[in-house]
């Protein structure tokens, strides 16, 4: 009679997942570095911390992602792409990160076989325009090459704008006593105009200037404002314009 039967089996490999490819608030950087400078913070740069940095009003929740020690801070000209990963087989996951210039650039490999789920890049050194990132994850560390699987996900488009708006067609006149009229055009190459102000003489408080259509919603805006209570004579007028990424001219 049969007294013992032993079965051997192998669990079917299931593809790893990558999701929530997105970006931290502008100017946030993360570094795998233990040397802390003034204004920086250190800690575990795991999925919980990335979620907290992306949306600080969320409470941290338990996560199973790889924990990386490092530091973080804010500095204009630096930006960070983040993502999350999981694997039904609990395999070790590595990520490859690619970047593409929109609308139709080729995918370029930024970094290969990453254990961390974030990447900080210097947007200040990039050309103005829209970009897209792609994260490809693989479980080849835990499987034979012939049986390893992968998947990928792309981010939403990411705007890089390192140049301030251009101010043109400036005209300052006095249509009547005790009033000056300021007219100008502001234009940005890639992002919308967000704010305009005028400083008259040595006044520390600026005059808020609204577009003619009263909406800051275009890359090109026309401005025409009359400022009362200004004595007749020569005046010094300084105009400042900012775009949606806080570049100011």
């Amino acid at each position: 009679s049969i007294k013992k039967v032993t079965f051997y089996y192998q669990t079917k490999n299931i593809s790893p997942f990558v999701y929530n490819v997105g970006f931290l608030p502008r100017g946030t950087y993360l570094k795998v570095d233990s040397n802390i400078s003034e204004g920086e913070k250190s800690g575990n740069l795991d999925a919980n911390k990335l979620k907290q940095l992306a949306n600080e009003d969320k409470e941290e929740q338990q996560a199973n992602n790889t924990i990386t020690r490092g530091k973080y801070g804010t500095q204009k000209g630096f930006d960070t792409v983040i993502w999350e990963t999981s694997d039904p087989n609990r395999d070790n996951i590595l990520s490859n990160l690619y970047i593409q210039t929109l609308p139709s650039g080729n995918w370029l490999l930024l970094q290969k076989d990453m254990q961390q789920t974030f990447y900080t890049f210097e947007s200040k050194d990039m050309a103005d325009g829209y970009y897209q990132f792609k994260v490809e994850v693989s479980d080849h560390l835990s499987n034979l090459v012939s049986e390893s699987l992968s998947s990928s996900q792309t981010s939403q488009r990411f705007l890089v704008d390192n140049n301030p708006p251009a101010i043109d067609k400036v005209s300052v006149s006095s249509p009547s006593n005790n009033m000056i009229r300021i007219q100008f055009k502001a234009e940005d190459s890639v992002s919308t105009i967000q704010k305009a102000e005028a400083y008259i003489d040595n006044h520390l408080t600026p005059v808020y200037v609204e577009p003619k259509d009263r909406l800051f919603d275009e890359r090109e805006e026309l401005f025409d404002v009359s400022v009362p209570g200004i004595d007749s004579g020569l005046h010094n007028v300084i105009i400042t314009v900012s775009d949606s990424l806080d570049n100011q001219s």
Side-chain angles (χ1 to χ4, degrees):
S1 63
I2 300 175
K3 294 183 178 181
K4 183 179 181 181
V5 177
T6 303
F7 291 94
Y8 295 93
Y9 68 95
Q10 182 177 10
T11 303
K12 181 180 178 180
N13 190 25
I14 302 175
S15 175
F17 297 100
V18 55
Y19 49 97
N20 291 342
V21 181
F23 303 92
L24 292 181
R26 297 275 181 171
T28 304
Y29 65 85
L30 307 175
K31 294 181 180 180
V32 184
D33 189 346
S34 59
N35 296 319
I36 307 301
S37 302
E38 184 178 354
E40 295 181 328
K41 298 180 180 179
S42 64
N44 292 332
L45 303 180
D46 57 6
N48 291 334
K49 176 54 68 176
L50 298 185
K51 288 180 180 179
Q52 185 185 29
L53 291 173
N55 189 355
E56 293 186 356
D57 61 357
K58 288 184 178 179
E59 294 183 358
E60 293 192 24
Q61 299 178 352
Q62 187 63 35
N64 296 320
N65 291 51
T66 300
I67 296 177
T68 302
R69 290 289 299 178
K71 64 182 182 181
Y72 54 95
T74 57
Q75 183 176 341
K76 184 175 174 60
F78 287 81
D79 288 288
T80 301
V81 55
I82 61 174
W83 59 95
E84 295 182 64
T85 63
S86 64
D87 190 287
N89 307 109
R90 297 186 177 180
D91 290 337
N92 294 319
I93 302 175
L94 294 178
S95 303
N96 295 336
L97 180 64
Y98 300 83
I99 189 173
Q100 176 192 48
T101 304
L102 294 178
S104 57
N106 295 324
W107 286 110
L108 301 176
L109 179 64
L110 286 177
Q111 192 162 335
K112 185 178 177 63
D113 291 342
M114 304 171 61
Q115 291 186 335
Q116 69 268 25
T117 55
F118 62 86
Y119 181 85
T120 294
F121 56 98
E122 296 187 41
S123 55
K124 62 183 175 64
D125 295 332
M126 298 168 63
D128 288 358
Y130 283 95
Y131 296 81
Q132 189 173 38
F133 291 81
K134 179 174 69 174
V135 180
E136 180 185 67
V137 294
S138 172
D139 60 8
H140 66 266
L141 274 184
S142 302
N143 295 276
L144 297 173
V145 175
S146 59
E147 297 177 358
S148 63
L149 298 173
S150 64
S151 66
S152 64
Q153 187 184 69
T154 56
S155 70
Q156 295 182 340
R157 65 180 189 171
F158 181 85
L159 174 62
V160 172
D161 183 3
N162 293 311
N163 294 294
I167 301 174
D168 194 16
K169 298 182 179 179
V170 179
S171 172
V172 179
S173 59
S174 298
S176 62
N177 291 332
N178 299 324
M179 179 179 291
I180 63 172
R181 182 182 182 185
I182 305 171
Q183 298 171 287
F184 62 94
K185 182 182 79 169
E187 183 176 4
D188 195 273
S189 59
V190 290
S191 58
T192 58
I193 303 299
Q194 190 72 27
K195 182 180 180 181
E197 295 176 326
Y199 292 84
I200 301 175
D201 296 330
N202 295 322
H203 293 177
L204 298 178
T205 302
V207 175
Y208 174 76
V209 184
E210 219 174 34
K212 293 182 69 174
D213 62 4
R214 307 196 68 180
L215 293 174
F216 284 101
D217 60 350
E218 300 289 344
R219 292 189 296 106
E220 179 181 319
E221 297 285 2
L222 297 176
F223 298 87
D224 188 343
V225 61
S226 295
V227 184
I230 305 297
D231 296 332
S232 60
L234 295 177
H235 296 279
N236 181 34
V237 177
I238 299 176
I239 298 169
T240 65
V241 177
S242 302
D243 61 26
S244 59
L245 294 186
D246 291 330
N247 298 303
Q248 185 182 86
S249 58

